[in-house]
Amino acid sequence: MEKLINYTIEAFQSVFESEPESIFLAPGRINIIGEHVDYSDGFVLPAAIDKYICFAVRKVDNSENCTFFAKDFDDSFSFNITQKQSPVSQMWVNYLLGVFNVIQESGKKIGGLQVAFSSTIPMGSGLSSSAALECGFAFILNELFDLNLTKKDLALIGQKSEHTFVGVKCGIMDQFASVFGKEHQVIMLDCNSLEHQYFEANIEGYSLVLFDSCVKHTHLTSGYNDRRKDVDKAKKILWKKFPEVEKFRDFSFSMLDEVRAEIGETSYKRSLYLLKEIKRVEKAAKALSEGNIKYLGTLLSETHSGLSTEFEVSCKELDFMVEETLKEEGVLGARIMGGGFGGCSINLIKSENVDDVIEKITQKYKVDFGIEMKVYRVKISDGINEYERNEFII
Ligand code: GLA
């Protein structure tokens, strides 16, 4: 983290030829279980992790410009804060411009600003670098310009930015986790009401390890929005037939069966997965709170098989990785994590077996796909925060 902070401060100094006034850290996230249910009234179990986007910022009084420098792309962008903004061709800019746009539309005012940022969250790996970028910027604007936004507002602003300026119709999980994360705690989030509670991530003797397939995805082109369309089709028909049902999670399997012919096989499969997954999350939260780690592992693996065969968001590399991982000693569960179509698997492994499993899967993956898998041993960490000035190490 210190390295990232120093690196970002140096980037700021070299581009803006002055010192940053403050430093902010916005984390990526893991999700223990509850995939694709965040836009269908489900529960999810994410947590913020110790991989961050670091922002070095300075307010510029009497200026009408906001300037970003993205150190990792060696690219910059400047815009006039008094004017209305539209999406641009530099993709990374849209996450930030979208946030500005949502805040501007709400009538709140910001001033001139210089921002340099850099990241240790691998992009396109399912660890939500986008949510960290959106919500990190929203958090900064809130702090520097006293916008009086709540944490929930910040998460919703991030999500709206992604919908409107990036074009991905994501749920709320990633933004929520990046904003609300707490060290050592996973968040049980009801995506319908946004009520949430924290759980001690008590998996002593076991480790959650991420294997990055290095198959990159962007949800703009991945099929994410198509999955939402499949589900929306089913929802429309379900609610027409059963208007008394309040939340998607309250539809029963038999109700779904009744509309099967009408919604078609694809939408049926997707909805079946969702209803099962929502139930799995509740079971997983119980298992975690009771220390039933073995059962938690079983549920993770069930999620993978649902994501692969019913929701169809896995890929051959991740299916291979998960299948091979599950054969190894000490592995309790494994699954693709996040939106899918590439990225990481999350693996629940007995701590004493972790090194062995990593060695074997790295080797097998290399032989079959010619790709060097990456491994992240992440820690569950706090959500977006300002890094105290006296902690600077320059
Ligand atoms: C992406 C989206 C989230 C969520 C996950 C799948 O990360 O941004 O809202 O839908 O995929 O669980």
Side-chain angles (χ1 to χ4, degrees):
M1 189 161 79
E2 279 74 18
K3 217 169 126 195
L4 172 71
I5 293 170
N6 286 336
Y7 184 70
T8 314
I9 291 175
E10 278 163 25
F12 186 98
Q13 290 164 334
S14 75
V15 172
F16 298 115
E17 295 178 343
S18 60
E19 289 298 318
E21 277 169 1
S22 7
I23 300 295
F24 295 85
L25 290 167
R29 63 104 189 89
I30 52 169
N31 183 24
I32 312 278
I33 195 163
E35 238 38 290
H36 283 272
V37 295
D38 60 344
Y39 49 85
S40 292
D41 301 334
F43 301 99
V44 291
L45 216 54
I49 53 170
D50 58 342
K51 291 204 172 287
Y52 302 95
I53 297 183
C54 177
F55 298 86
V57 298
R58 193 170 81 91
K59 277 211 280 191
V60 188
D61 293 336
N62 305 319
S63 163
E64 293 190 340
N65 287 325
C66 178
T67 306
F68 303 118
F69 175 59
K71 172 68 181 161
D72 303 341
F73 305 124
D74 196 20
D75 195 12
S76 54
F77 184 84
S78 197
F79 68 98
N80 184 309
I81 53 168
T82 64
Q83 286 165 15
K84 198 170 158 42
Q85 300 300 316
S86 318
V88 296
S89 60
Q90 288 145 286
M91 228 21 229
W92 65 266
V93 175
N94 290 328
Y95 295 96
L96 302 159
L97 270 191
V99 167
F100 167 76
N101 188 61
V102 180
I103 288 176
Q104 194 190 42
E105 277 183 345
S106 72
K108 298 200 184 272
K109 295 263 173 299
I110 72 158
L113 193 64
Q114 293 170 329
V115 184
F117 66 92
S118 179
S119 174
T120 51
I121 311 172
M123 275 175 29
S125 295
L127 302 183
S128 293
S129 54
S130 355
L133 189 55
E134 295 148 5
C135 296
F137 186 48
F139 188 98
I140 290 167
L141 296 180
N142 192 36
E143 291 295 306
L144 298 190
F145 301 106
D146 297 323
L147 303 182
N148 266 321
L149 298 165
T150 64
K151 282 169 101 178
K152 206 185 273 181
D153 293 334
L154 299 178
L156 290 167
I157 288 170
Q159 183 194 29
K160 193 161 177 201
S161 162
E162 190 142 345
H163 285 195
T164 51
F165 267 56
V166 181
V168 176
K169 303 289 179 203
C170 62
I172 190 67
M173 171 172 76
D174 306 349
Q175 290 78 8
F176 205 93
S178 189
V179 174
F180 283 87
K182 248 192 202 174
E183 202 177 0
H184 307 308
Q185 312 269 316
V186 294
I187 309 167
M188 169 79 162
L189 171 66
D190 176 343
C191 300
N192 177 271
S193 65
L194 296 190
E195 275 168 21
H196 60 284
Q197 60 189 102
Y198 293 97
F199 273 85
E200 191 72 31
N202 192 1
I203 53 166
E204 228 186 286
Y206 297 90
S207 307
L208 283 167
V209 189
L210 308 180
F211 294 169
D212 188 349
S213 66
C214 297
V215 176
K216 298 280 173 204
H217 65 257
T218 143
H219 288 315
L220 196 54
T221 50
S222 69
Y224 185 94
N225 289 346
D226 293 338
R227 295 301 178 277
R228 278 205 76 153
K229 280 190 201 140
D230 296 342
V231 174
D232 285 346
K233 182 179 169 197
K235 285 180 185 168
K236 224 167 133 192
I237 295 170
L238 275 164
W239 262 304
K240 202 164 150 219
K241 189 154 175 85
F242 306 105
E244 70 284 5
V245 174
E246 243 178 71
K247 299 169 195 140
F248 180 78
R249 65 174 179 249
D250 297 331
F251 287 113
S252 64
F253 293 109
S254 62
M255 285 171 171
L256 183 61
D257 281 340
E258 274 189 56
V259 296
R260 183 169 183 164
E262 204 181 333
I263 64 179
E265 267 321 281
T266 303
S267 287
Y268 173 78
K269 266 200 298 190
R270 310 287 189 245
S271 311
L272 184 64
Y273 160 79
L274 291 179
L275 291 179
K276 289 200 271 189
E277 178 73 351
I278 294 170
K279 296 213 167 6
R280 266 194 293 268
V281 180
E282 291 179 271
K283 290 181 197 161
K286 187 160 179 281
L288 192 59
S289 65
E290 288 170 357
N292 191 349
I293 309 303
K294 203 163 164 225
Y295 186 48
L296 179 65
T298 307
L299 293 165
L300 296 195
S301 307
E302 280 178 16
T303 292
H304 183 81
S305 110
L307 285 170
S308 177
T309 61
E310 292 166 344
F311 216 70
E312 295 179 287
V313 292
S314 187
C315 57
K316 58 182 189 314
E317 292 86 350
L318 261 306
D319 281 346
F320 173 87
M321 213 176 234
V322 167
E323 198 182 319
E324 292 303 321
T325 304
L326 286 173
K327 287 181 192 161
E328 297 301 331
E329 202 185 322
V331 176
L332 267 55
R335 67 174 192 85
I336 185 171
M337 189 184 74
F341 307 98
C344 288
S345 66
I346 180 165
N347 306 283
L348 183 57
I349 308 174
K350 230 182 187 166
S351 299
E352 65 196 52
N353 296 105
V354 168
D355 290 339
D356 239 28
V357 177
I358 291 175
E359 201 188 311
K360 291 202 179 115
I361 302 304
T362 306
Q363 210 184 358
K364 286 185 180 174
Y365 190 58
K366 181 86 195 270
V367 170
D368 265 57
F369 292 96
I371 303 173
E372 200 76 48
M373 157 185 120
K374 291 194 181 129
V375 177
Y376 312 125
R377 300 173 194 238
V378 291
K379 284 205 196 85
I380 295 186
S381 306
D382 282 331
I384 303 175
N385 234 316
E386 180 167 358
Y387 194 74
E388 291 307 322
R389 204 160 172 104
N390 58 14
E391 294 176 79
F392 281 21
I393 324 141
I394 46 174

